């Protein structure tokens, strides 16, 4: 009898321990951690303000944590270091306004696109009368700046071969060069051009040329070996498209007309 009672007590104790452990795990939050990589020099998609991360990609990352029942750990890198971090496993996904290109497809898996954009040009407002026409840009007679290792660089080097070209490490370096008359055009992604020239407060010295120069799709990148996470990202994007969160978030950070991907 004593042995049977001891066995019964042991079962009860183990059951209680299991329940307590499960309850504690619930209190500490999800056990899964997803490391997200961002370059934070890309307003309005990802940037630092008063020591805090902000932007459209930041909002998406936090929402992704809820969709995946995971803790999101955002890690910041320079743009050039993002894909190396993905390749080495330091991060699980790049969420940083990445344009889908054939060259990048060879190295990473992309989620479905969440926004359709393109490269655009910024000029000085004082030059709007003489440089606003696309024909002037395409003539190759003016100095053109771009951010290094971006699709803006690809456009300039392939389509404006005769133009004097200058690559800059950051977007801000390029804008400073434009304002200081070191280049006549600065090429960057549409969200950057919209944010700098159509959002309040706007720098009145800058004038955006809103005619897209290219057609591009923004998406998130994961390691080639992580098709499971790619599928989870696509499922989250599908839910956000249906419930309106995707459009709402884009409109919050880019208050101009944007074409959302139908995929």
């Amino acid at each position: 009898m004593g042995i049977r009672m001891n066995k019964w007590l042991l079962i009860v104790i183990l059951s209680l321990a299991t329940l307590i452990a499960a309850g504690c795990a619930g209190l500490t939050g999800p056990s899964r951690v997803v490391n997200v990589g961002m370059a934070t020099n890309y307003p309005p998609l990802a940037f630092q303000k008063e020591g805090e991360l902000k932007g459209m990609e930041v909002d998406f990352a936090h929402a992704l944590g809820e969709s995946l029942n995971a803790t999101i750990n955002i890690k910041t890198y320079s743009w050039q270091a993002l894909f190396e971090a993905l390749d080495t496993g330091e991060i699980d996904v790049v969420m940083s306004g990445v344009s889908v290109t054939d060259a990048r497809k060879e190295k990473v898996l992309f989620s479905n696109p969440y926004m359709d954009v393109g490269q655009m040009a910024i000029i000085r407002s004082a030059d709007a009368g003489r440089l606003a026409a696309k024909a002037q840009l395409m003539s190759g007679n003016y100095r053109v700046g771009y951010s290094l290792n971006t699709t803006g660089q690809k456009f300039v080097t392939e389509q404006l071969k005769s133009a004097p070209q200058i690559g800059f490490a950051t977007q801000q370096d390029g804008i400073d060069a434009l304002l200081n008359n070191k280049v006549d055009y600065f090429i960057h992604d549409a969200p950057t051009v919209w944010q700098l020239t159509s959002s309040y407060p706007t720098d009145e010295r800058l004038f955006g040329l809103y005619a897209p120069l290219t057609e591009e799709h923004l998406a998130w990148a994961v390691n080639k070996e992580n098709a499971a996470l790619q599928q989870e990202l696509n499922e989250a994007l599908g839910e956000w498209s249906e419930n309106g969160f995707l459009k709402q978030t884009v409109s919050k950070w880019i208050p101009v007309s944007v074409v959302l991907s139908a995929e």
Side-chain angles (χ1 to χ4, degrees), residues 9-137:
L9 287 173
L10 180 60
I11 292 172
V12 171
I13 292 171
L14 289 175
S15 298
L16 287 173
T18 300
L19 290 172
I20 292 171
C24 291
L27 292 174
T28 58
S31 59
R32 179 185 181 187
V33 177
V34 176
N35 293 306
V36 174
M38 291 186 190
T40 56
N41 60 346
Y42 190 5
L45 272 63
F47 59 100
Q48 294 266 4
K49 185 176 182 180
E50 299 176 353
E52 186 177 351
L53 279 175
K54 292 182 176 294
M56 187 171 73
E57 295 284 31
V58 178
D59 285 358
F60 282 152
H62 291 316
L64 187 63
E66 296 183 13
S67 294
L68 302 184
N69 190 30
T71 298
I72 297 297
N73 179 33
I74 298 177
K75 306 175 73 172
T76 61
Y77 298 84
S78 67
W79 172 257
Q80 291 84 348
L82 273 174
F83 289 93
E84 180 179 350
L86 183 65
D87 187 55
T88 59
E90 290 182 25
I91 56 177
D92 302 300
V93 55
V94 176
M95 301 178 69
S96 200
V98 181
S99 296
V100 179
T101 66
D102 291 337
R104 289 172 181 163
K105 282 182 178 179
E106 294 180 0
K107 299 178 181 179
V108 302
L109 295 176
F110 279 107
S111 69
N112 291 336
Y114 60 84
M115 188 165 70
D116 296 339
V117 295
Q119 296 298 303
M120 292 182 178
I122 304 177
I123 60 176
R124 292 177 291 274
S125 295
D127 292 333
R130 68 187 186 93
L131 296 182
K134 183 179 178 180
Q136 297 297 93
L137 169 64

Side-chain angles (χ1 to χ4, degrees), residues 231-260:
Q231 180 61 33
E232 289 181 303
L233 297 179
N234 289 340
E235 290 174 358
L237 284 168
E239 292 175 3
W240 297 352
S241 180
E242 290 181 4
N243 64 26
F245 175 74
L246 182 60
K247 185 175 182 179
Q248 178 184 356
T249 305
V250 171
S251 298
K252 169 186 173 182
W253 291 103
I254 307 175
V256 294
S257 179
V258 179
V259 177
L260 292 176

Side-chain angles (χ1 to χ4, degrees), residues 143-147 152 156 164-168 183-188:
R143 301 164 297 172
V144 182
Y146 56 81
S147 291
V156 173
Q165 304 172 10
I166 304 178
F168 298 95
V183 295
D184 302 301
Y185 293 89
F186 182 65
I187 308 298
H188 213 283

